[in-house]
Each structure stands twice: as C-alpha cells, then as structure tokens.
Amino acid sequence: MGSLRGTGGLVDQTRGEKAPKEKPNQLVLRQPRQGPTDEAQMAAAAALARLEQKQPRARGPMLQDSIRNQVRKELQAEATVSGNLETLGTNMVPEPKEERSSHLAVPGVYFTCPLTGAILRKDQRETHIKEAILSHFSTDPVGASIMKIHTFNKDRDRVKLGVDTIAKYLDNIHLHPEEEKYQKIKLQNKVFQERINCLEGTHEFFEAIGFQKALLPVPDQEGPEEFYVLSEAVLAQPQSLERHKEQLLCAEPVRATLARQRRVFRPSPLASQFDLPAEFFNLTAEEVKREQRLRSEAVERLSVLRTKAMREKEEQREMRKYTYTLLRVRLPDGCLLQGTFYARERVAALYSFVREALQSDWLPFELLAAGGQKLSEDENLAFTECGLVPSALLTFSWDAAVLEDIKAAGAEPDSSILKPELLSAIERLS
C-alpha cells in the first residue's frame, strides 16, 4: 500500500528466520542404530542427484506439525532485528490443539501481517489485519481510514466507485476554492448514500481529513439536515486535501503475505520425499485418494485414445487442485534450501528466494528440475505450468561460463554457498 504500509512497521517475512533445532530425544533414539556419517550422507545425496530422473511425488496430505517452537524462534529473530522485543508476546500464534505428525516436510501454511509482522494461520488473517488497522487510528487516522476503506469492503467495484466519487468531491474543492457549495456535502444526498455511505471507513476518512458534521438549514425545507462541512484550517491548506486524495486513489487492500518458512537441511537421501500438510491441497485427504484412484483407472482405459493435447490439458487441470507448493533446492555441497510458495507464483520468485540466501548473491546460477529441465528466470511461467506442484526437488548450479572466467582470473567462488546465519540454523532432515 505504498506509503501507508510504511507507517505500520513492515516486517520482512524472511529476515532472520530460523528453523527449530532438533529435539534431543530424537538424537538419543537414533544412537543405537549407528546412522551414517555426514560424509556418507553427502555421498548418498550426490548419488541421488545423478540418479533422480522423475518428478518427486508428494506422499499425500497429512495433519500439521506443532509449530510453537518454530514460530517463537522466527519472531525472536524478527523482534531482535527491529529492536522491539516487547512485541514478541503479541506476535505469537496459539499452539493448535489437535495432534500433529512429527515428520511433515513443513508444519503448515502460514502468513505474515505486513503491519505487525505477526505470523498467522490462514483462519487468523482477516481478524488480525482488521485489528491492526483499527489500532492505527490513534496514530494515523487518515492512513488507517484509507486502509479500512480498501480492506474491510470486499466488493472491489463498489470500492472503486466510492473512492472515485470522494476524489471528485475533493477535486471540486481544489478547483473552486472560493465556492462555498463545494465545501459541504449533504449526507442524505442520493449519490453520497448509494456510493459512499455504504462503505466502511468513509466517514472516518472525511473526519480525518478535516470535515465536521453540522446541521444546516436547507432552502424550501422546514427542518435542517446533516452535512459534512470542511473546517477553516483545512481550507487554508488545500494542498493537504490533494495529498490525501492521491493516497486514497493509490491504496490497495492490506493482505497478509505468504511466509516462506525458509529452512536449510544437511545433505540427506530423503531430499525427494515430501510429507505435506492438508493446507497444500484444495481437496481433503480422502478426496485426493479417491481422485488418484479414479484417475489411474481412467488412464488405463483411455491411454491409447488420448492425444498429447488431451494429456497436457488433463495435467493442467490436475495442477489447479493445489494452492501451495513446497520447493527444495539441492546445492552443490548437498545441502538443501526449502521454502513455501503459491502454486501460481512465477519461477522468478524462486530465483529471488535462492539469491537472497547466497553468500555470493551476485554470481549467476541455474536451477534444474527433475530430468535436467532448466528453469529460466526470464520466462513468465508459473510453478503449475512447470509441474512443480505440490512439491519438487530442484538442483542448483553456478553458471559454467562465469565459473570459468573466475578460475581464469586466478580466483575461486566462496567455498560457503549459503550465508553464515542460515548455516548456523541448519537441520537434519528426517
């Protein structure tokens, strides 16, 4: 929302994120098995990278894992960066009461409030954002009222009509500063009632920019009527009305942003295995299983009759069943970088996500999908179009030509691929 959101203390959703450390009892349970060393796991991961030839499959929707510790660590990091440790308590997401699986690839789908930085579940977004907007009235009534108009009212066409009408009122005052008739607005006016009065936040906006309610006599009418009348102080500074009008016209609804939940894992032979929570699917677990069974039966019956175009159309239809996708990128040292994305986001979003994590973020790199398919950052393709839903494992590689140039100059790229703060929070994938 441009300058409006700036007053709300935007919090970078990925800055300072740390994933939860493993519980000590998990290590104790594994000791009797004498698991493979890190070197052995790296070798296994490298071998898998060479052998994998098909798209990783999701193992189906499962219940969410408990996220209490993870959210606490993420909010602790964000609060430290912003210097506002006192807000930690208000940013906590209540721990879900239902049982969770301890082996989910990601604990769930979460969102970040752009005004407070709080980490939210999907069902918490609307209520939290409304409360955050209302809390802004004490410090920035104009900005808060504009956010309320654009966010509380869901009919975008009606909002646009109302906003354009308000802008017309303000334009008349600006263009005709000497004409008193433009300095007052009759509240019972038909246009005002149908276009403005029906929208939440409009009355707060008029009062915030300097209008005051007053009962005024109406010619040829017995009793007075209620008007909004512009104060003398605002009339002396008409440029403020023009500024508020531009803010109102340029504003957008306040929306929670998808939390990437960035995590870094050690090399693991489990890199291509994904246990996803139910939120990643538009269908329930039972519906997904039924769809898979029916689809398999249909494929067997019609495989010889379907054309390539028909198959591609069916595949795209299947992709639309997913709202989110969990992506892992295997780095040259075998480590894994993981993040959550909307299924319809573009490949460029993944490139930006990876670049933000690199120590040498200026070096060009490539991302390869299963089977060696190169994903171009410049192509405007969604993850659904690339077959990267509801989960996928990709391979990272530095641009070969640039590496040759660096070596020819007698230099070497940084041995550490990821930033130190990410490596300090590295986990073991299980």
Side-chain angles (χ1 to χ4, degrees):
M1 224 174 78
S3 61
L4 292 178
R5 294 191 186 183
T7 63
L10 287 170
V11 176
D12 186 351
Q13 69 178 352
T14 60
R15 182 174 57 196
E17 289 183 358
K18 287 188 178 181
K21 295 181 180 179
E22 261 189 286
K23 297 181 181 178
N25 63 347
Q26 291 177 321
L27 293 175
V28 172
L29 291 173
R30 289 176 185 161
Q31 285 177 355
R33 297 181 58 186
Q34 297 296 321
T37 64
D38 286 348
E39 292 78 9
Q41 290 193 23
M42 290 181 68
L48 281 175
R50 294 192 300 270
L51 294 175
E52 286 174 344
Q53 295 295 326
K54 59 184 180 179
Q55 179 71 28
R57 296 179 303 166
R59 293 169 62 180
M62 298 176 65
L63 292 176
Q64 299 176 35
D65 193 4
S66 172
I67 64 154
R68 186 176 188 175
N69 291 333
Q70 179 184 348
V71 172
R72 185 185 298 277
K73 289 178 183 295
E74 292 174 348
L75 294 175
Q76 176 77 49
E78 291 179 355
T80 300
V81 173
S82 64
N84 188 14
L85 292 173
E86 294 80 11
T87 62
L88 262 179
T90 59
N91 281 1
M92 289 302 301
V93 176
E95 181 179 1
K97 294 182 179 180
E98 63 266 24
E99 293 185 1
R100 308 293 188 185
S101 167
S102 60
H103 298 291
L104 290 176
V106 67
V109 177
Y110 292 89
F111 302 83
T112 303
C113 173
L115 300 178
T116 66
I119 305 299
L120 310 167
R121 296 193 309 269
K122 186 175 182 179
D123 61 343
Q124 295 174 317
R125 292 178 300 178
E126 184 172 348
T127 299
H128 180 90
I129 288 176
K130 284 186 175 182
E131 291 174 352
I133 291 174
L134 293 176
S135 71
H136 273 61
F137 274 97
S138 60
T139 56
D140 181 12
V142 175
S145 61
I146 292 175
M147 287 190 286
K148 185 174 182 179
I149 291 171
H150 283 277
T151 307
F152 282 41
N153 302 288
K154 303 305 180 184
D155 188 330
R156 301 307 303 158
D157 291 334
R158 177 166 288 189
V159 169
K160 185 179 186 308
L161 181 61
V163 165
D164 288 344
T165 304
I166 294 174
K168 183 64 175 176
Y169 281 134
L170 301 183
D171 278 337
N172 285 336
I173 297 172
H174 179 72
L175 296 173
H176 311 282
E178 304 300 327
E179 296 194 35
E180 185 179 349
K181 68 176 182 179
Y182 292 122
Q183 299 167 15
K184 56 186 178 181
I185 303 170
K186 184 178 178 182
L187 270 63
Q188 293 303 316
N189 176 275
K190 182 179 180 181
V191 171
F192 186 92
Q193 286 292 317
E194 293 180 352
R195 300 184 183 183
I196 297 175
N197 188 63
C198 59
L199 297 177
E200 292 189 69
T202 51
H203 287 281
E204 291 95 328
F205 176 75
F206 278 110
E207 293 170 8
I209 65 175
F211 281 88
Q212 300 171 342
K213 286 184 178 180
L215 289 173
L216 301 177
V218 179
D220 302 324
Q221 185 173 311
E222 290 186 7
E225 286 209 32
E226 196 170 29
F227 285 77
Y228 270 133
V229 180
L230 194 61
S231 67
E232 293 292 335
V234 176
L235 281 174
Q237 296 180 326
Q239 66 275 12
S240 65
L241 291 181
E242 188 68 15
R243 185 175 68 254
H244 297 326
K245 182 197 76 173
E246 291 302 321
Q247 288 178 318
L248 178 65
L249 290 172
C250 296
E252 295 287 341
V254 180
R255 298 283 184 259
T257 56
L258 181 64
R260 296 292 188 212
Q261 301 185 78
R262 181 173 57 199
R263 301 172 73 180
V264 178
F265 297 104
R266 299 183 186 279
S268 172
L270 303 177
S272 62
Q273 297 183 18
F274 295 85
D275 285 339
L276 299 177
E279 294 99 319
F280 275 71
F281 302 84
N282 285 333
L283 304 177
T284 65
E286 292 74 16
E287 289 172 332
V288 168
K289 292 179 181 178
R290 180 175 179 274
E291 286 285 335
Q292 290 174 340
R293 177 176 56 80
L294 294 176
R295 184 168 66 253
S296 297
E297 295 173 355
V299 167
E300 291 178 4
R301 291 195 306 268
L302 304 175
S303 58
V304 295
L305 301 177
R306 293 186 306 162
T307 65
K308 180 181 178 180
M310 291 170 62
R311 290 194 298 270
E312 291 177 350
K313 185 176 181 180
E314 180 179 301
E315 290 171 0
Q316 286 299 312
R317 186 166 59 250
E318 293 300 317
M319 295 297 104
R320 288 195 291 271
K321 294 178 180 177
Y322 307 110
T323 305
Y324 311 100
T325 184
L326 185 68
L327 301 178
R328 287 181 188 150
V329 177
R330 196 202 309 268
L331 303 169
D333 60 2
C335 290
L336 303 166
L337 177 65
Q338 175 178 290
T340 303
F341 298 81
Y342 284 110
R344 289 179 174 81
E345 279 191 83
R346 305 297 167 177
V347 170
L350 177 59
Y351 268 86
S352 297
F353 173 76
V354 173
R355 188 173 290 110
E356 290 171 0
L358 298 178
Q359 180 86 333
S360 300
D361 56 4
W362 56 274
L363 279 176
F365 60 90
E366 297 177 346
L367 295 176
L368 304 178
Q373 173 196 358
K374 180 180 176 180
L375 301 178
S376 174
E377 184 175 9
D378 298 328
E379 292 184 23
N380 192 31
L381 293 177
F383 295 127
T384 51
E385 297 175 277
C386 302
L388 302 179
V389 293
S391 59
L393 174 65
L394 302 100
T395 301
F396 173 103
S397 65
W398 294 114
D399 184 278
V402 173
L403 281 184
E404 289 298 324
D405 291 342
I406 293 176
K407 292 178 181 179
E412 290 288 340
D414 291 331
S415 57
S416 177
I417 299 174
L418 296 177
K419 292 178 178 177
E421 59 267 28
L422 297 180
L423 291 175
S424 67
I426 196 167
E427 306 173 66
R428 187 183 299 276
L429 186 62
S430 61

